[in-house]
């Protein structure tokens, strides 16, 4: 089966790590007296990912605040309860009732292959079942969210007493994912198509991230994906809309913030680098990526 860079190919390029880091792209963002650092994240990893390159470590030591997509270290009980309402079925039915029989059977097969049971998936909305399957498959490759770049710095911030700021709340992030709406069955089907090639298919994406190869990451983002409805949702909602909302919050960030967001949020016409440059921020690359672009 030909591997497509479809929905979860791009989503998971934010998740899947490498065994070693060369020079991932890392930037200083400046305007007037304001200065921040910006790093594209991968959300799972192994201990061999660390230490990160010297420019990143030096900036971390200088920074005063950690800024993340979501501050997962301070989630209230009320937010966890609301998360259940977003991710779980509330109509008295189960996942089986919301899927065509053939798709449900495929889902159960994939669940069994990745250490999940029918009982675990039964109460989940189809879009969250897709994410749950993907995360389970990722864990079976030997990687852990504990060693993702964002969690690595969250742990260090907590240990060192450095404040953490979230660009959005957990519920806002889940709301974006849930906005797949009527296409969530398509999302689950696409996920099942991807899972057998999960580890193999990310070789070139991970190589591009490792080398800070912006041009390749942009090309991967713009490549034709299947199905088109999910492509549009990914580009317009999960990336572009969130990027625009984050840039609006930029003036409120504490000076000398160390900002860690998913790598694909940085690039393209609606990426953070382009949007920040339009707002008058000066962007300087602090590492030496393989294919560096002048901003």
């Amino acid at each position: 089966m030909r591997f497509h860079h479809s929905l979860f190919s791009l989503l998971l390029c934010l998740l899947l790590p490498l065994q070693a880091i060369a020079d991932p792209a890392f930037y200083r963002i400046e305007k007037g007296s304001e200065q921040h650092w910006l790093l594209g994240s991968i959300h799972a990893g192994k201990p061999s990912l660390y230490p990160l390159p010297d420019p990143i470590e030096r900036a971390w030591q200088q920074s005063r605040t950690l800024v993340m997509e979501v501050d997962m270290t301070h989630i209230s009980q009320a937010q966890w309860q609301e998360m259940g309402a977003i991710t779980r079925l509330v109509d008295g039915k189960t996942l089986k009732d919301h899927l065509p029989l053939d798709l449900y059977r495929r889902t159960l097969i994939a669940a069994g292959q990745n250490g999940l049971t029918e009982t675990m998936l039964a109460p989940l909305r189809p879009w969250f079942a897709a994410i749950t399957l993907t995360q389970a498959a990722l864990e079976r490759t030997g990687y852990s969210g504990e060693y993702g770049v964002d969690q690595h710095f969250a742990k260090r911030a907590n240990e060192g007493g450095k404040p953490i700021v979230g660009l959005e709340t957990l519920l806002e992030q889940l709301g974006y994912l849930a906005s797949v709406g009527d296409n969530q069955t398509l999302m689950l089907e696409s996920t099942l198509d991807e899972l057998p090639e999960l580890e193999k298919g990310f070789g070139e994406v991970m190589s591009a991230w490792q080398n800070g190869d912006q041009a390749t990451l942009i090309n991967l983002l713009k490549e034709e994906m299947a199905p088109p409805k999910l492509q549009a949702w990914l580009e317009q909602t999960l990336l572009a809309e969130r990027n625009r909302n984050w840039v609006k919050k930029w003036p409120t960030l504490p000076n000398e913030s160390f900002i860690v967001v998913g790598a694909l949020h940085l690039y393209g016409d609606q990426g953070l680098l382009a949007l920040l440059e339009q707002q008058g921020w000066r962007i300087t690359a602090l590492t030496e990526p393989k294919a560096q672009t002048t901003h």
Side-chain angles (χ1 to χ4, degrees):
M1 181 180 70
R2 179 179 177 272
F3 180 79
H4 293 279
H5 293 288
S6 64
L7 170 70
F8 271 89
S9 301
L10 292 174
L11 284 181
L12 285 175
C13 86
L14 314 180
L15 302 177
L16 286 176
L18 300 168
Q19 294 185 8
I21 287 183
D23 281 298
F26 179 60
Y27 303 92
R28 181 170 58 237
I29 314 292
E30 300 170 285
K31 181 196 280 190
S33 61
E34 296 293 309
Q35 172 182 257
H36 306 297
W37 295 273
L38 179 60
L39 176 64
S41 173
I42 46 177
H43 299 316
K46 292 181 177 180
S48 55
L49 281 170
Y50 306 100
L52 295 173
D54 287 344
I56 298 174
E57 291 294 333
R58 288 196 299 269
W60 171 253
Q61 296 299 329
Q62 291 178 263
S63 66
R64 299 182 180 182
T65 303
L66 172 63
V67 176
M68 308 171 64
E69 293 182 26
V70 174
D71 176 10
M72 294 296 295
T73 65
H74 299 93
I75 304 296
S76 68
Q77 187 61 37
Q79 287 183 357
W80 286 122
Q81 292 173 350
E82 289 186 57
M83 173 184 171
I86 296 174
T87 61
R88 292 174 175 264
L89 296 165
V90 294
D91 57 3
K93 298 181 179 180
T94 66
L95 181 64
K96 182 178 181 179
D97 299 317
H98 285 263
L99 301 178
L101 183 58
D102 286 349
L103 180 57
Y104 187 67
R105 287 172 175 166
R106 288 184 63 200
T107 301
L108 292 186
I109 292 172
Q113 292 171 339
N114 291 285
L116 300 174
T117 66
E118 183 174 13
T119 301
M120 292 175 181
L121 294 181
L124 304 184
R125 297 180 188 269
W127 70 266
F128 196 65
I131 291 177
T132 302
L133 282 166
T134 305
Q135 291 176 333
L138 175 63
E139 289 290 333
R140 292 176 74 84
T141 67
Y143 297 108
S144 170
E146 178 184 357
Y147 296 108
V149 172
D150 46 1
Q151 290 308 306
H152 169 76
F153 284 110
K155 181 179 179 181
R156 291 176 67 177
N158 280 326
E159 291 174 347
K162 186 173 293 190
I164 301 177
V165 173
L167 289 167
E168 59 194 16
T169 67
L170 173 63
L171 297 180
E172 286 173 335
Q173 187 172 86
L174 290 172
Y176 281 117
L177 291 167
S179 70
V180 69
D182 294 339
N183 294 316
Q184 60 180 321
T185 298
L186 197 59
M187 178 178 178
L188 177 57
E189 185 175 1
S190 178
T191 299
L192 294 174
D193 290 341
E194 296 276 332
L195 287 181
E197 309 246 7
L198 183 66
E199 195 166 4
K200 175 184 175 182
F202 286 101
E204 62 183 358
V205 177
M206 292 303 98
S207 178
W209 183 86
Q210 180 181 28
N211 293 301
D213 189 344
Q214 175 181 337
T216 299
L217 285 172
I218 291 174
N219 288 337
L220 290 171
L221 177 59
K222 291 183 177 179
E223 271 190 10
E224 181 180 356
M225 298 179 292
K229 287 183 179 180
L230 292 181
Q231 175 185 359
W233 171 73
L234 169 67
E235 293 185 356
Q236 296 169 13
T237 301
L238 286 194
L239 292 175
E241 182 176 332
R242 292 169 73 204
N243 287 347
R244 291 192 294 269
N245 287 337
W246 293 350
V247 168
K248 291 177 184 177
K249 297 178 180 180
W250 225 261
T252 69
L253 298 180
N255 194 21
E256 299 188 330
S257 288
F258 189 96
I259 303 163
V260 182
V261 298
L264 277 184
H265 285 280
L266 271 58
Y267 303 116
D269 294 341
Q270 295 298 313
L272 289 177
L273 295 176
L275 294 176
L276 288 168
E277 195 168 47
Q278 292 170 16
Q279 295 294 321
W281 291 84
R282 184 160 62 92
I283 301 170
T284 305
L286 299 180
T287 53
E288 296 183 3
K290 177 181 178 182
Q292 188 171 333
T293 301
T294 301
H295 296 283

